[in-house]
Amino acid sequence: MKHALLAALALSLALAASASGQSTPYPVTDLRSLYEDLLGKINSFPIYDNHAHPGYSDDSDVDAMAAPPDMSSVLRLREDNPEFVAASKALFSYPYDDFEPQHSRWLADRKKAAERAGGTAYFNGILDQLGIETCLANRAFMAPYLDPRRFHWVFFVDSFFFPFDNGDLAASNPDMGVYIPLQEKMLARYKKQMNVAGLPADLAGYEDFVRRTVRENQKSGGVAMKFEAAYFRTLYFSNPPRERARAIYERYRSAGRPSADEYREFQDYIFRVLVDEAGQLGLKVHFHTAVGIGDYFSLRQGNVLNLENVLRDPRYGNVTFVLLHGGWPYEREAALLTAVKNVYLDTSLQSEMLYPSQFKEVLKQLLTLYPDKMMFGSDAFPFNDALGAEESFWVAVGTSRMSLAAALAELVSERALSTERALELARLYLHDNAAKLYSSAPAGGKGASE
Ligand SMILES: [Zn+2]
């Protein structure tokens, strides 16, 4: 009798544990099987990649900038990471177990052949293999081998920050010596595109050039403008009066080097012009918000919190801001900034740099804050002739699906979420948040994407 009572009590406790109730700090169900079950379903969900640099390795337009020489590389992004070999095997049935030069040539030849063949089938095929439906391509210019139905352009606008003599900036450290000439080259390309010779006579003319270029880029398929400003300067943008910017422009338009303060003030003003134009056109505004490559990247200046005055400015309620790379290593700060209605983030870069056990913790935090604001991103990028954006996509996709399943399995097992709710959040993060964001009718301009 006593045993029967105890058994009934144990049964009712077990039932209480598996039904609804307050969430617990430890799993109350088998975490591993829950993970496998969720991963099986999540593997079939389509992906919308909010940030990548798709392209062949000899295509310098995959980015507006380049890696500085001899920079430190974090462990997982080193070319000897064996996961990249696994990626090549999965995608191309690569027959070797390393990237020794005599082996990796097999891969490089294969990619060269695809490039020579031309057409959009190759990169569409990569997306298909990985379950990526749509991919935002953050590139200097788009390439004919990327299908505009699958790859949507995110263009760069930082070059508008550098119209004057940039000698002091380029000499400030070895990385800037690489970055600044590329920004000058980008500005020269925009000037050519818009038939602008030299610099316009006054600030009004320069602003007109900036706004017209942005409009033209949107007409060419651009869905967002990207600031990689954190590589060059602080992400804190003051709000200088136009009169001040006009004086600086007129003083340095044809000669002379502005002081660091003068240049920054001028850039702060041009930044406001760009954001205003984005709001009018319904273009999204992307920011690099994470530690960057190179040994001179300023963590303090690149901290996402520097953007707070802009993101929380009610005047920009019509502008959608997207914090690329989710602010890492300040990912909590970035996530909390998405409380603002028009602020979103993606987890690109983190999905390649962090291992699943680490990225799982990030996603577990993000998805319990504002899950309708968090988006998948790969930051896929060609490393060299053999190891391409393709392998980079593969690592980011696999890491994200596994980390997502693991984070959600924990939340379900701790009774924070039901399985149904967990799968709903997975869909939002992998695809639906971005699909909704980029298909929403812009405030001013034409529809940005289908
Ligand atoms: Zn990127």
Side-chain angles (χ1 to χ4, degrees), residues 51 53 226 325 379:
H51 179 73
H53 306 272
K226 153 95 178 283
H325 323 311
D379 211 5

Side-chain angles (χ1 to χ4, degrees), residues 347-366:
T347 52
S348 57
L349 177 68
Q350 294 186 44
S351 56
E352 285 195 293
M353 182 180 58
L354 304 179
Y355 285 97
S357 62
Q358 303 167 311
F359 189 43
K360 173 195 73 167
E361 299 301 324
V362 174
L363 286 179
K364 191 173 174 184
Q365 175 83 76
L366 296 190

